[in-house]
Amino acid sequence: MSLLKVDNLSIVFGGVKAIDDLSFTIEPGKIHSIIGPNGAGKTTLFNLITGVYTPTTGTVLYENEGVTGFKSYELAARGMSRTFQNLQIFFNMTAIENVMVGAHLHLNRGFFASFFGLPTIKEGDRHCRETCLELLDFVGLRHYADTDTDSMPYGALKRLEIARALASKPKILLLDEPAAGLNPAESREIDEVIKKVAERGITVVLVEHDMKMVMEISDHILVLDYGRKLTEGTAQEVRNNPDVIAAYLGG
Amino acid sequence: MDKLKSPRTGGLLILMAIIAVLPAFLDNAFQVEIAILIFFNAIVCIGLNLLIGYAGQISLGHGAFVGLGAYGSAILTAHQGWDPLLSMVAAATFTGVLCFVIARPILKLKGHYLAMATLGMGIIISIVINTEDQLTGGPDGMYVDGLSFMTSQIHWYWLIGAVLVFSVWASLNLIHSPIGRALRAVHGSEVAAEVVGVDTTQYKVLIFVVSGVFASVVGSLGVYYSNFVTPDIAGFFHSIELVVMVVFGGMASTFGAVVGAAILTILPQVLTFLHDFEHLVFGLILMLTMIFLPKGLVPTLADLFKKGDKS
Amino acid sequence: MMGKLYLQESLSDMSAEFLQFLFSGVTLGATYALVGLGFSIIYNASHVINFAQGEFVMMGGMGTVFFLGLGLPMPVAILAAIALTTLFGFGLERFAIAPARGASVVTLIIITIGASIVMRGLVQVVWGKEFHAIPAFSGDEPITIAGATILPQSLWVLGVTVLLVLALRFFFEKTIMGKAIIATSLNRDAALLMGINVRFVLFISFGLSAALGAAAGILVAPITLTNFEAGIMLGLKGFCAAILGGLGNGMGAVAGGMIVGIAEAMGAGYLISEYKDAIAFVLILLVLFFKPSGLFGKTGTERV
Ligand SMILES: Nc1ncnc2c1ncn2[C@@H]1O[C@H](COP(=O)(O)OP(=O)(O)O)[C@@H](O)[C@H]1O
Ligand SMILES: [Mg+2]
């Protein structure tokens, strides 16, 4: 059974089809990569899947439930989370608070309990802080826990987004260019983090430009070009596909 | 012990201490009056700060909600003979429901469009209050009986002081809870908040209602305190004044809201000796403060303090 | 026979009435359009909503009253009042907005609110609180058109507004300075890279906007009277106009102003005159509920 199924998905921006009649499926528990030249529609596809944009036509099926047009937070409640190509950090909070927002769905959010500062809220927050510290540890940012995010380096913020997404306990995690703008050492660290995420049984969907990294860690690769599927398959199959070579070299 | 030093508990204790000893230093009824006025403004500002400072949603119309509380209570008590407490609850419920109904379409708007919409909503409410003189007495305002058990001014001082302490406490509780983080997340990045499960619309609506109810309750208490209300309370300038207090004291700081309310309530009183020059000087002080302390008083001072701590 | 005649007569009465409301609507609308344009120009250059825009309008009117009082002839008094207001515009940018660069939008809004308090306070101290009238530019003899009357001053308002709008279009489309302002509004960083003096652009925008506001204030002062608080409602309605048309869209602001003015005159005439001042705000709320970025504002999916 597939985890995510996209059928004939399209979205039009001012007459231009950024995603054009795209269909594919994602199996649970693997690392899937989506590659393609700049402007191919990878980020747009993520936005469509995660409910940030509403498709013009087509459907998205998640765990056999039609979720087209669902809000992002409804999808998050069903176990879907993501990171962003252009950082979306809560710059008005510390690192640990950013991650704790990620755990929002798993905390007592009752208004009156919060308003009157009931012990259950405080207890929940204490416990949440512990688990979120572990997540910061997991991405190698524990020492930044109480740092204001506006004074953290870019590379750390990229990892902070992953920790925040993990705090929502996703079944599927979509990572949009997590290594973009990082130096080779930082890239390798991200690489490790992604593998560890997959080992936890979380299905990873990865958009990445670093071909070496993609080829090495992906179980399955989907190639997009002009919003359409160019091809898909294993790293080996994709690497040898003449269309892919043409799109990348001729491109 | 550590808890005492935290800005949260420590600040609350300092506030309680100030309220407790202040009467000893107030020489006359007028000064007590100003203190009570500060408490009233501070309570509205605490609610408004949750909306503006934490959730990042501007409102240029909150004076109208104070007005709804005041006139709601006044009308129910004076015309219908309702019990004051019941009137206050009814007015707060009405304001809360109204806020709930308009919050969705209004808070879809962003930035200056939101400013315009809240401003427009406030002006409409204030025009209605001015015009429906059968009900409200029009521009001349209306009289209401006070609370029978509040026999002296100092009773009011303690009552409103206690409500202020409660408001600060509750606001701090809210901020330091998952709801508070969700509000700040709405301010930080709506899309990022949504993808980890925060229903941003729901929280914007929630906090709009909460801040509206804070304002309404203050309006009700205020009308029973002064036994009189005029439409100015719902007007554009009162709304602006409230926002100015929040920003002056420092956005996203509960104590900032209190400090802003205190200073900007006292300042015009201090400046009355300037007679005609009062407004001019007030405007200049406001401009200079915002130019040189754009984050507001309390956050700027807190930053200085933090830096001092490290060195 | 009689019935038909009566009907015809009342029909022409009705159309005369309609025309009358329309005349006052477009006069009001032209004023709002100029104020709204002022908002747009400053917004475009700096992304600041200038809550002192109404005070520019007031200062135009009150300045003219003052200079006329000094015995200056009307045209000179008008130019002097516009020059004075423009100076305030420059001053606002140089001494209040420029030093606060980087502050949050709310802080900037409060600074302009402070400026509006200062300007009202200043005018009140120097020129008093009384209402003043400026004589109409070419007499008070109403002109009758198809049964409705219009004041010559209304024609002045309309004519000068049309001229100013055309002049501004020319300025923004054809002159270097105008293009620099547009470039800055589209992308401040790119404008800087292209060698545009962004600070100067901001400076000029505030001056231009102040001059425009003053012109509006002078044009309507003979119809509405003026005092130190005359700019408040005009400023708010002008803000409505700018938002209605889609913030930063100059021609949108002009259209927005006209719509607000006509709606107000028709609403007050046919519906409820007590609620005349509420009409603009009801209208803007209705529009924003359905079109969150105004009638002619940019729409589309926000990029993430
Ligand atoms: N919100 C939007 N409005 C208009 N066009 C958009 C929007 N989002 C994406 N696009 C367009 O869709 C195309 C695909 O963009 P994107 O998904 O960002 O590509 P990629 O992530 O593969 O580099 C581009 O042409 C881009 O300009
Ligand atoms: Mg992309």
Side-chain angles (χ1 to χ4, degrees):
Chain A
M1 188 192 88
S2 63
L3 183 61
L4 188 73
K5 191 162 184 294
V6 167
D7 273 319
N8 307 105
L9 204 64
S10 300
I11 188 167
V12 183
F13 292 121
V16 181
K17 281 194 168 177
I19 291 293
D20 187 1
D21 199 26
L22 184 67
S23 305
F24 64 94
T25 59
I26 284 187
E27 303 301 323
K30 287 189 172 166
I31 298 182
H32 301 259
S33 286
I34 298 175
I35 61 171
N38 262 329
K42 306 178 294 292
T43 298
T44 303
L45 177 60
F46 269 23
N47 285 336
L48 287 169
I49 294 174
T50 57
V52 177
Y53 294 168
T54 312
T56 312
T57 56
T59 55
V60 180
L61 222 64
Y62 175 70
E63 292 187 313
N64 283 337
E65 181 188 11
V67 295
T68 325
F70 273 37
K71 298 274 171 54
S72 301
Y73 64 86
E74 294 171 311
L75 293 163
R78 286 164 173 75
M80 182 189 290
S81 195
R82 68 174 284 189
T83 65
F84 297 88
Q85 180 179 353
N86 300 319
L87 284 179
Q88 295 286 342
I89 295 286
F90 309 126
F91 279 112
N92 50 348
M93 292 187 226
T94 62
I96 187 85
E97 286 171 332
N98 267 266
V99 185
M100 286 168 83
V101 173
H104 184 75
L105 286 169
H106 308 289
L107 296 171
N108 178 352
R109 313 184 290 282
F111 174 74
F112 289 101
S114 307
F115 195 72
F116 292 104
L118 297 190
T120 80
I121 296 286
K122 297 199 168 126
E123 193 49 47
D125 263 15
R126 210 167 6 248
H127 182 246
C128 172
R129 199 185 146 85
E130 288 305 314
T131 48
C132 290
L133 274 175
E134 280 164 28
L135 284 173
L136 278 178
D137 215 18
F138 183 77
V139 298
L141 292 179
R142 195 183 183 109
H143 54 293
Y144 278 119
D146 290 307
T147 310
D148 287 330
T149 39
D150 52 12
S151 53
M152 283 168 64
Y154 179 80
L157 294 175
K158 284 292 228 189
R159 281 181 281 162
L160 183 60
E161 280 210 356
I162 298 180
R164 182 179 65 196
L166 287 175
S168 71
K169 301 188 182 159
K171 293 180 203 159
I172 183 169
L173 177 60
L174 295 89
L175 303 171
D176 197 352
E177 305 206 13
L182 304 188
N183 65 36
E186 289 173 324
S187 275
R188 269 195 304 280
E189 283 170 16
I190 289 273
D191 204 7
E192 287 311 310
V193 169
I194 295 171
K195 282 185 200 155
K196 281 197 292 178
V197 170
E199 279 164 20
R200 287 184 158 198
I202 298 170
T203 307
V204 175
V205 185
L206 176 69
V207 164
E208 191 44 70
H209 275 303
D210 181 345
M211 276 311 135
K212 204 168 140 272
M213 174 167 156
V214 169
M215 293 299 168
E216 186 195 310
I217 68 175
S218 313
D219 298 299
H220 178 261
I221 297 174
L222 170 74
V223 188
L224 278 190
D225 196 19
Y226 294 108
R228 267 182 249 160
K229 178 158 74 183
L230 203 57
T231 182
E232 61 179 323
T234 62
Q236 194 63 31
E237 288 163 357
V238 166
R239 204 195 322 254
N240 298 330
N241 185 302
D243 289 341
V244 177
I245 295 167
Y248 268 83
L249 298 180
Chain B
M1 210 42 220
D2 246 13
K3 235 186 146 182
L4 281 184
K5 273 171 78 182
S6 84
R8 190 173 158 193
T9 321
L12 199 57
L13 286 174
I14 293 174
L15 178 71
M16 283 161 76
I18 292 176
I19 293 176
V21 302
L22 192 61
F25 296 91
L26 300 175
D27 303 331
N28 53 42
F30 176 69
Q31 291 182 355
V32 180
E33 166 101 14
I34 297 299
I36 296 173
L37 201 58
I38 290 175
F39 296 169
F40 276 135
N41 282 332
I43 299 166
V44 186
C45 288
I46 286 168
L48 192 55
N49 179 47
L50 290 171
L51 179 72
I52 300 182
Y54 285 97
Q57 311 295 311
I58 180 103
S59 167
L60 299 181
H62 258 56
F65 301 139
V66 184
L68 285 180
Y71 276 95
S73 282
I75 289 167
L76 289 175
T77 323
H79 296 342
Q80 310 291 325
W82 283 30
D83 175 71
L85 210 63
L86 197 63
S87 307
M88 184 170 93
V89 173
T93 309
F94 175 79
T95 309
V97 171
L98 181 76
C99 285
F100 181 77
V101 172
I102 57 180
R104 245 161 227 277
I106 278 196
L107 292 167
K108 253 195 335 208
L109 305 170
K110 297 204 188 322
H112 299 302
Y113 292 93
L114 179 62
M116 174 81 252
T118 50
L119 186 158
M121 173 221 62
I123 291 185
I124 292 169
I125 292 176
S126 102
I127 291 178
V128 171
I129 291 178
N130 256 304
T131 310
E132 298 301 319
D133 47 9
Q134 298 280 341
L135 214 54
T136 63
D140 298 335
M142 69 186 287
Y143 282 97
V144 203
D145 285 336
L147 302 180
S148 53
F149 51 92
M150 299 294 281
T151 46
S152 93
Q153 195 190 24
I154 200 71
H155 288 168
W156 277 101
Y157 176 92
W158 294 119
L159 174 68
I160 307 305
V163 177
L164 172 61
V165 170
F166 171 79
S167 307
V168 171
W169 175 75
S171 162
L172 291 172
N173 284 340
L174 205 55
I175 291 155
H176 296 274
S177 78
I179 293 184
R181 285 194 297 273
L183 291 175
R184 284 191 286 161
V186 168
H187 195 175
S189 163
E190 285 194 32
V191 65
E194 292 250 332
V195 299
V196 288
V198 177
D199 179 352
T200 55
T201 312
Q202 182 199 329
Y203 284 103
K204 286 197 253 180
V205 172
L206 172 78
I207 212 60
F208 194 69
V209 172
V210 169
S211 65
V213 170
F214 266 70
S216 175
V217 169
V218 166
S220 297
L221 289 170
V223 79
Y224 293 128
Y225 168 66
S226 60
N227 301 341
F228 185 61
V229 58
T230 65
D232 284 350
I233 198 173
F236 170 64
F237 284 106
H238 189 215
S239 297
I240 294 291
E241 196 179 22
L242 293 168
V243 176
V244 169
M245 285 173 179
V246 170
V247 181
F248 190 94
M251 285 194 288
S253 161
T254 300
F255 292 109
V258 178
V259 171
I263 293 181
L264 292 181
T265 307
I266 296 172
L267 193 59
Q269 308 298 333
V270 174
L271 295 180
T272 44
F273 78 94
L274 293 169
H275 301 292
D276 283 350
F277 287 86
E278 181 193 330
H279 297 291
L280 180 59
V281 175
F282 179 86
L284 281 174
I285 293 177
L286 180 60
M287 284 179 79
L288 289 174
T289 314
M290 292 329 299
I291 292 169
F292 293 108
L293 308 173
K295 283 163 129 191
L297 278 178
V298 170
T300 311
L301 292 178
D303 281 355
L304 282 178
F305 192 69
K306 255 194 225 161
K307 269 187 207 136
D309 241 13
K310 274 176 195 154
S311 59
Chain C
M1 254 323 251
M2 282 294 281
K4 201 175 168 202
L5 247 181
Y6 179 75
L7 190 68
Q8 255 177 10
E9 196 165 289
S10 73
L11 262 181
S12 79
D13 264 3
M14 270 168 67
S15 65
E17 191 181 53
F18 178 82
L19 209 58
Q20 191 68 61
F21 295 151
L22 192 66
F23 286 162
S24 71
V26 290
T27 310
L28 276 174
T31 322
Y32 299 157
L34 288 181
V35 185
L37 259 176
F39 274 105
S40 275
I41 291 171
I42 287 185
Y43 175 80
N44 267 342
S46 65
H47 284 245
V48 171
I49 284 291
N50 171 31
F51 274 84
Q53 191 66 32
E55 275 57 45
F56 291 154
V57 178
M58 174 274 290
M59 196 150 244
M62 289 298 285
T64 309
V65 172
F66 170 70
F67 289 117
L68 283 175
L70 291 183
L72 296 177
M74 181 73 115
V76 182
I78 289 176
L79 287 179
I82 293 180
L84 177 73
T85 312
T86 310
L87 275 182
F88 269 88
F90 286 145
L92 177 61
E93 199 282 331
R94 182 74 352 143
F95 300 116
I97 302 299
R101 269 274 133 237
S104 70
V105 172
V106 189
T107 302
L108 290 171
I109 287 186
I110 305 245
I111 291 174
T112 66
I113 289 174
S116 77
I117 299 176
V118 169
M119 287 174 74
R120 279 200 300 273
L122 203 62
V123 168
Q124 176 209 322
V125 168
V126 182
W127 294 330
K129 297 185 182 179
E130 299 77 27
F131 278 92
H132 296 275
I134 301 179
F137 298 177
S138 41
D140 293 319
E141 198 61 45
I143 301 162
T144 308
I145 302 171
T149 58
I150 187 166
L151 288 172
Q153 188 65 27
S154 291
L155 297 178
W156 273 103
V157 174
L158 285 172
V160 175
T161 301
V162 169
L163 283 180
L164 283 175
V165 169
L166 291 177
L168 279 174
R169 276 197 87 134
F170 178 81
F171 173 74
F172 282 116
E173 281 167 14
K174 296 283 186 303
T175 68
I176 301 271
M177 192 64 224
K179 286 181 188 171
I181 295 182
I182 301 268
T184 306
S185 78
L186 291 177
N187 188 334
R188 190 184 156 86
D189 295 330
L192 265 173
L193 286 177
M194 276 157 41
I196 293 174
N197 185 343
V198 170
R199 288 202 58 179
F200 189 63
V201 162
L202 291 185
F203 188 66
I204 292 298
S205 306
F206 274 76
L208 184 62
S209 188
L212 212 56
I218 296 166
L219 285 168
V220 290
I223 304 178
T224 60
L225 300 185
T226 182
N227 84 336
F228 75 109
E229 288 182 324
I232 298 169
M233 257 306 162
L234 276 172
L236 293 177
K237 304 249 179 86
F239 184 26
C240 275
I243 291 276
L244 194 64
L247 205 45
N249 178 340
M251 289 306 126
V254 173
M258 280 297 169
I259 293 171
V260 170
I262 292 171
E264 199 171 295
M266 295 294 167
Y270 287 117
L271 301 170
I272 21 171
S273 56
E274 300 98 311
Y275 281 102
K276 172 175 163 293
D277 275 335
I279 290 168
F281 301 103
V282 173
L283 186 70
I284 192 81
L285 279 179
L286 286 178
V287 169
L288 288 183
F289 286 172
F290 295 103
K291 296 210 70 179
S293 44
L295 288 177
F296 316 106
K298 289 187 210 91
T299 53
T301 317
E302 206 176 322
R303 266 171 208 260
V304 171

